[in-house]
Amino acid sequence: MTSLGRRGKLLGGVEVRFADAGLDRLETDPSFDGGFSQAIVKAYRKRMQSIRAAPDERDFYAMRSLNFEKLKGPRSQQYSMRLNDQWRLILEMEGKGKNKVLVVVGIEDYH
C-alpha cells in the first residue's frame, strides 16, 4: 500500500484526524507518553495500527476484540474502542460514505 500522508488515508484504509496534537504525537513519537502508562501507550499504538489497516469503520464492529460501540445520550456522536479493561479510545466520525474521516478525540478512564 502507498501512503497518501500521515494524517491522510492509506489506499483502501480509514482516513484519520486527531482532535489533539498530543494524540497524534502519542502514535508516532517513541519518547512521548502523554502522561499515560507504557501499557496504555502500547495499546493505543496497536489500536491505531488496526484503525489505519481497516478499509472502513464496519471492520471495527467485526473485530470483536476492539469492543467498538456507539455511545449514548449526550455523547451519541461518539464511539469507543477498548484499549484495556479500564481505558477506552474515544472516536467521532465526520462526513458520509467514502468521505468519512475518523477523528481520534481522546483516551478516557471508564472506571
Side-chain angles (χ1 to χ4, degrees):
M1 286 185 191
T2 303
S3 175
L4 297 178
R6 226 207 70 65
R7 287 184 182 82
K9 134 190 241 190
L10 296 173
L11 293 176
V14 173
E15 185 171 349
V16 176
R17 201 167 48 78
F18 296 88
D20 176 277
L23 293 168
D24 186 3
R25 184 176 171 201
L26 187 62
E27 181 184 9
T28 58
D29 183 347
S31 65
F32 183 68
D33 67 13
F36 297 102
S37 72
Q38 281 303 312
I40 296 304
V41 172
K42 183 178 178 180
Y44 172 75
R45 291 177 180 156
K46 183 177 176 181
R47 288 295 177 250
M48 290 307 300
Q49 287 177 344
S50 297
I51 288 169
R52 291 186 183 281
D56 64 42
E57 78 277 2
R58 292 174 294 186
D59 289 334
F60 304 150
Y61 288 107
M63 291 185 264
R64 302 199 40 87
S65 65
L66 299 180
N67 292 88
F68 184 69
E69 61 187 12
K70 188 166 178 46
L71 300 179
K72 297 177 183 174
R75 299 180 81 177
S76 62
Q77 79 285 2
Q78 296 181 330
Y79 298 80
S80 79
M81 189 178 285
R82 180 177 285 186
L83 294 177
N84 68 13
D85 288 341
Q86 182 175 351
W87 293 86
R88 303 290 185 271
L89 182 60
I90 306 301
L91 309 162
E92 291 181 1
M93 298 284 184
E94 292 181 349
K96 296 189 185 261
K98 294 187 185 251
N99 296 323
K100 273 190 186 171
V101 176
L102 183 96
V103 180
V104 179
V105 176
I107 297 172
E108 293 186 8
D109 181 348
Y110 262 37
H111 292 91

